[in-house]
């Protein structure tokens, strides 16, 4: 990674945010809704990327962090009648706490064992959602009523079911997380993470506490994924157990691989690309999983660096 | 029914699960042990075996035993061919990098599952058992076919063990497992061994599926549970240990049968998965495995 002037890097990212902001006023209704969903899920991909791309830890259980946020926010609104901001924070806190516990356990393993352990914990989480169906709604899920999805600050009330408010909500979360990730990976901490990915033994020898650094990364990643889940529950008004299934652990992996692991904008590009590919192809065929499968195989075979990774390699060495 | 016979019934059901699980897990364990890769598509090879068994047995008219026998030969061979092609076209090019392989086999999982849904459909379909003899116990009658599944699985396990320990092919496989590079230096065609092991691993899963399909029907999502259970068995049994795999399969199968007869199956799965995850965290070499080299 060549060094770039911070101004150029920040200009690019703020440019992307501005472009997304402008799109709100241009996009037709259907695509406006799709973009809101994509931005909320791109946050999930960014959280996954922090761990997979920068630390090199491949988890197959991130659906549990996403759904911890989803249920943390959804259940507090549904059962306790909490307001939107409190519920969002509850979701993020649930995800961070779960990530801390899982991190403490799973980081004792590495490589293939790490993937299987995370997958199993996620499976336990998924089964528990089904088991406590009395509260979680099981595989039917719960629908959060429109009335409980209104934020009122002072005299202004924001209705999250309004398409523009929803779009702006998703964009706000996306922008904050994008800038946080950017600052994080450019920081000293971010460089230690990359050092761990490249050679953990050497990093340890240089005097870094690699386990503590990895744990912080797991918690940060879990919290970001939970923020995505919490936002998803509040913006789209539905929580369901399929968001905790293994498929939702694999999707962020796919999005990140497609967009480019260890790039800040890759997760957005990957999510956007995959969503539109499925959206367009679903006009011709219902074989949505086939496309995911073929995409995964072609990616690992021919473009293991993804879209942004390839662009960085060929033309723009300064991309973060 | 009293508690004793109830327990016996649960144990018999568990034994059938164990028999099928041992074969499936053995396939996963061989691939895991020799090639050092995790095949996430293993459950889909199982499902493919069951679906093909249905296709073959419905295509052949006459006594159900003829159709079943044909399925028992043809379905595993076809699944082996699919696995061989997958290994040849994809995994070899990835140089068996563990992480890329996982991603690629997840891709295969989706492709096989979707193709099964498209061509076979979402229904669960039965295959007629080759014979319907019932063994009469003092308390209840029990399907003779289910017991023959246990016997067939035991025979196959013994054959695999003999091949691994007593033949030249087994020696080559063990050499490749022990040290790939030295084996290659001694003229062992490692690539062909890998292709063969991957195909055989898938075929074992397919055979297990053909055996189970007269008991539980063929369905395009039936590969999920065997995959997770096989992982559990391989982890508890210890990597590449045949004896450990069999012992763990019996342990898991029996406890699954007994626990799910007395408790909610979801709760049983939660406990089993959590226990295994903890085993993996605190004793990564498995309960019966040796310490990592």
């Amino acid at each position: 990674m060549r060094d770039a002037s911070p101004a150029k890097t920040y200009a690019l990212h703020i440019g992307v945010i501005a472009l997304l902001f402008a799109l709100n006023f241009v996009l037709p209704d259907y695509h406006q809704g799709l973009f809101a969903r994509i931005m909320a899920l791109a946050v999930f991909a960014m959280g996954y990327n922090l761990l997979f791309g920068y630390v090199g830890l491949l988890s197959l259980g991130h659906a549990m962090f996403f759904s911890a946020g989803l249920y943390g926010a959804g259940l507090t609104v549904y059962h306790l009648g909490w307001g939107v901001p409190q519920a969002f924070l509850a979701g993020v806190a649930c995800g961070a706490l779960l990530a801390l516990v899982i991190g403490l356990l799973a980081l004792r393993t590495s490589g293939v064992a790490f993937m299987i352990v995370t997958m199993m914990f996620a499976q336990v989480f998924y089964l528990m959602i089904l088991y406590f169906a009395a509260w979680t709604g099981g595989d039917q899920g719960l629908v959060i009523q429109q009335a409980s999805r209104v934020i009122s600050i002072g005299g202004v009330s924001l209705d999250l079911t309004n398409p523009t408010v929803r779009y702006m909500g998703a964009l706000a979360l996306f922008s904050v997380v994008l800038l946080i990730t950017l600052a994080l990976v450019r920081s000293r901490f971010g460089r230690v993470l990359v050092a761990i990915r490249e050679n953990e033994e050497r990093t340890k020898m240089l005097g870094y506490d690699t386990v503590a650094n990895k744990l912080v990364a797991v918690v940060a990643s879990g919290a970001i994924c939970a923020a995505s889940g919490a936002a998803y529950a509040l913006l789209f008004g539905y929580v369901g157990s399929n968001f905790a299934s293994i498929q939702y652990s694999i999707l962020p992996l796919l999005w990140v691989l497609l967009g480019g692991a260890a790039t800040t904008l890759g997760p957005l590009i990957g999510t956007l690309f995959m969503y539109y590919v499925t959206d367009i192809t679903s006009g011709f065929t219902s074989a949505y999983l086939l496309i995911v499968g073929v995409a995964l195989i072609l990616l690992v075979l021919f473009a293991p660096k993804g879209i942004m990774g390839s662009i960085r390699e060929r033309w723009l060495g300064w991309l973060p | 029914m009293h508690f004793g016979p109830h327990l016996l019934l649960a144990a018999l059901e568990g034994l059938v699960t164990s028999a099928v699980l041992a074969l499936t897990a053995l396939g996963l364990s061989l691939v895991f042990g020799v090639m050092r890769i995790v095949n996430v598509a293993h459950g889909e090879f199982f499902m493919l075996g069951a679906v093909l068994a249905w296709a073959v047995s419905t295509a052949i008219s006459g006594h159900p035993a003829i159709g079943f026998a044909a399925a028992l030969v043809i379905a595993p061979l076809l699944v082996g061919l699919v696995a061989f092609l997958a290994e040849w076209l994809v995994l070899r090019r990835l140089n068996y990098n563990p992480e890329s392989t996982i991603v690629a086999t997840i891709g295969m999982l989706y492709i096989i599952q979707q193709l099964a849904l498209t061509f076979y459909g979402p229904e669960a379909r039965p295959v007629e058992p080759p014979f319907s003899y019932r063994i009469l116990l003092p308390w209840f009658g029990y399907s003779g076919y289910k017991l023959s599944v246990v016997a067939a699985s035991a025979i196959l396990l013994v054959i695999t063990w003999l091949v691994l320990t007593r033949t030249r092919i087994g020696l080559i496989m063990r050499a490749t497992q022990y040290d790939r590079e030295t084996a290659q230096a001694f003229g062992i065609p490692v690539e062909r061994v890998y292709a063969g092991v991957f195909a055989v691993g898938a075929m074992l899963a397919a055979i297990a599926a053909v055996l189970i399909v007269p008991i539980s029907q063929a369905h395009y999502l039936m590969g999920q549970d065997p995959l997770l259970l096989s992982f559990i068995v391989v982890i508890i049994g210890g990597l590449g240990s045949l004896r450990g795999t069999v012992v763990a399969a019996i342990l898991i199968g029996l406890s699954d049968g007994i626990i799910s007869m007395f408790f909610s199956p979801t709760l049983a799965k939660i406990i089993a998965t959590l226990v295994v995850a903890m085993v993996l965290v605190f004793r990564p070499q498995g309960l019966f495995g040796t310490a990592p080299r």
Side-chain angles (χ1 to χ4, degrees):
Chain A
M1 210 192 295
R2 262 174 277 158
D3 252 354
S5 63
K8 202 164 149 189
T9 314
Y10 279 100
L12 173 74
H13 288 78
I14 289 168
V16 169
I17 293 168
L19 179 68
L20 286 169
F21 180 78
L23 276 174
N24 175 50
F25 305 101
V26 187
L27 286 173
D29 288 351
Y30 173 71
H31 293 276
Q32 189 192 26
L34 204 56
F35 259 74
R37 210 167 281 253
I38 288 168
M39 283 189 291
L41 290 173
V43 172
F44 184 18
M46 284 194 279
Y48 188 81
N49 186 31
L50 185 64
L51 201 61
F52 170 63
Y54 291 96
V55 198
L57 283 170
L58 201 166
S59 142
L60 289 178
H62 262 53
M64 70 180 145
F65 302 133
F66 181 79
S67 46
L70 192 82
Y71 279 95
L75 295 185
T76 44
V77 168
Y78 191 87
H79 291 294
L80 306 175
W82 286 18
V84 170
Q86 296 92 320
F88 179 78
L89 291 179
V92 176
C94 285
L97 193 66
L98 181 68
L100 180 68
V101 176
I102 299 292
L104 281 171
L105 291 168
L107 284 177
R108 296 173 59 104
T109 64
S110 61
V112 169
F114 183 80
M115 301 174 207
I116 297 179
V117 166
T118 46
M119 190 176 83
M120 286 185 159
F121 282 129
Q123 185 71 14
V124 170
F125 194 83
Y126 171 66
L127 290 170
M128 275 164 72
I129 290 171
L130 294 184
Y131 188 71
F132 293 106
W135 292 286
T136 61
D139 51 3
Q140 300 278 316
L142 300 171
V143 173
I144 301 164
Q145 295 306 318
Q146 184 178 354
S148 35
R149 284 159 59 203
V150 178
I151 314 173
S152 37
I153 312 161
V156 192
S157 76
L158 292 169
D159 182 0
L160 290 181
T161 49
N162 174 310
T164 302
V165 175
R166 181 193 287 173
Y167 188 96
M168 288 305 160
L171 178 62
L173 177 70
F174 172 79
S175 313
V176 169
V177 173
L178 181 68
L179 294 177
I180 288 178
T181 336
L182 181 62
L184 211 59
V185 301
R186 290 175 59 89
S187 70
R188 208 178 131 81
F189 171 63
R191 289 178 194 278
V192 174
L193 294 186
V194 172
I196 292 173
R197 180 188 71 197
E198 294 302 322
N199 192 330
E200 183 163 354
E201 289 303 311
R202 193 175 294 169
T203 317
K204 209 182 277 177
M205 206 188 70
L206 287 171
Y208 292 100
D209 185 345
T210 54
V211 177
N213 275 293
K214 284 197 285 185
L215 187 62
V216 174
V218 170
V219 173
S221 168
I224 292 174
C225 293
S228 165
Y232 200 92
L234 297 166
L235 292 176
F236 300 99
Y238 172 72
V239 298
S241 65
N242 70 315
F243 290 110
S245 67
I246 175 88
Q247 204 178 327
Y248 272 82
S249 292
I250 291 168
L251 281 176
L253 171 67
L254 175 67
W255 296 330
V256 168
L257 275 174
L258 185 63
T263 62
T264 44
L265 288 171
L268 172 70
I269 304 288
T271 316
L272 190 69
F273 196 88
M274 201 60 218
Y275 246 79
Y276 269 92
V277 166
T278 18
D279 192 58
I280 293 164
T281 47
S282 63
F284 309 107
T285 164
S286 58
Y288 150 71
L289 285 179
L290 190 68
I291 296 156
V292 176
V294 172
L296 278 172
I297 291 180
L298 291 180
L299 271 172
V300 285
L301 277 179
F302 300 111
K305 291 201 165 74
I307 297 170
M308 292 309 279
S310 302
I311 292 178
R312 174 160 73 194
E313 201 175 48
R314 297 257 171 86
W315 300 293
L316 304 171
W318 54 270
L319 275 180
Chain B
M1 223 170 4
H2 291 293
F3 181 76
H6 209 114
L7 191 68
L8 179 66
L9 183 62
L12 280 174
E13 291 290 318
L15 205 59
V16 176
T17 314
S18 306
V20 174
L21 188 55
L23 278 183
T24 318
L26 181 62
L28 192 71
S29 170
L30 273 182
V31 172
F32 210 15
V34 175
M35 301 170 72
R36 307 248 166 234
I37 58 167
V38 176
N39 176 17
V40 185
H42 195 66
E44 302 316 303
F45 289 138
F46 179 87
M47 179 273 288
L48 202 57
V51 167
L52 287 173
W54 174 84
V56 171
S57 65
T58 42
I60 294 173
S61 54
H63 193 272
I66 303 168
F68 182 79
L72 198 53
V73 176
I74 296 172
L77 281 177
L78 285 177
V79 171
L81 184 68
V82 170
F84 180 81
L85 287 177
E87 200 276 347
W88 194 50
L89 291 174
V90 180
L91 300 188
R92 177 165 305 178
R93 286 158 203 260
L94 296 174
N95 218 1
Y96 310 105
N97 173 302
E99 285 167 11
S100 310
T101 309
I102 289 206
V103 177
T105 49
I106 291 173
M108 290 175 198
L109 179 156
Y110 282 152
I111 293 175
I112 298 175
Q113 209 172 77
Q114 185 67 56
L115 289 178
L117 177 63
T118 308
F119 292 104
Y120 173 80
E123 305 90 4
R125 295 176 204 191
V127 169
E128 244 183 280
F131 52 87
S132 52
Y133 177 71
R134 281 187 85 76
I135 296 171
L136 284 175
L137 299 174
W139 314 279
F140 52 86
Y142 199 69
S143 155
Y145 177 72
K146 284 188 180 177
L147 292 179
S148 74
V149 167
V150 177
S153 163
I155 292 169
L156 277 167
L157 289 172
V158 170
I159 291 175
T160 315
W161 179 73
L162 286 175
V163 167
L164 274 176
T165 54
R166 298 285 189 274
T167 65
R168 201 180 146 70
I169 298 171
L171 186 66
I172 288 175
M173 274 169 64
R174 280 183 291 140
T176 315
Q177 169 169 9
Y178 194 73
D179 188 336
R180 178 190 169 172
E181 271 161 25
T182 313
Q184 193 150 27
F186 275 83
I188 289 175
V190 168
E191 288 206 332
R192 257 191 283 165
V193 175
Y194 276 19
V197 165
F198 197 73
V200 168
M203 285 166 79
L204 282 169
I207 293 173
V210 179
L211 289 175
I212 199 73
V213 87
I215 301 169
S216 69
Q217 310 180 326
H219 185 255
Y220 83 103
L221 285 177
M222 72 190 288
Q224 311 252 323
D225 277 356
L227 177 69
L228 206 68
L229 284 175
S230 299
F231 269 139
I232 294 176
V233 165
V234 170
I235 289 161
I236 292 199
L239 188 85
S241 148
L242 197 146
R243 201 172 8 150
T245 304
V246 174
V247 173
I250 294 173
L251 204 72
I252 297 288
L254 278 183
S255 50
D256 189 64
I258 293 171
I259 295 175
S260 52
M261 189 153 281
F262 296 109
F263 299 98
S264 130
T266 313
L267 187 63
K269 265 192 213 160
I270 291 177
I271 296 170
T273 316
L274 204 55
V275 167
V276 171
M278 289 303 172
V279 167
L280 197 55
V281 167
F282 291 103
R283 204 180 146 78
Q285 69 272 32
L287 293 180
F288 301 94
T290 45
R293 276 177 278 137

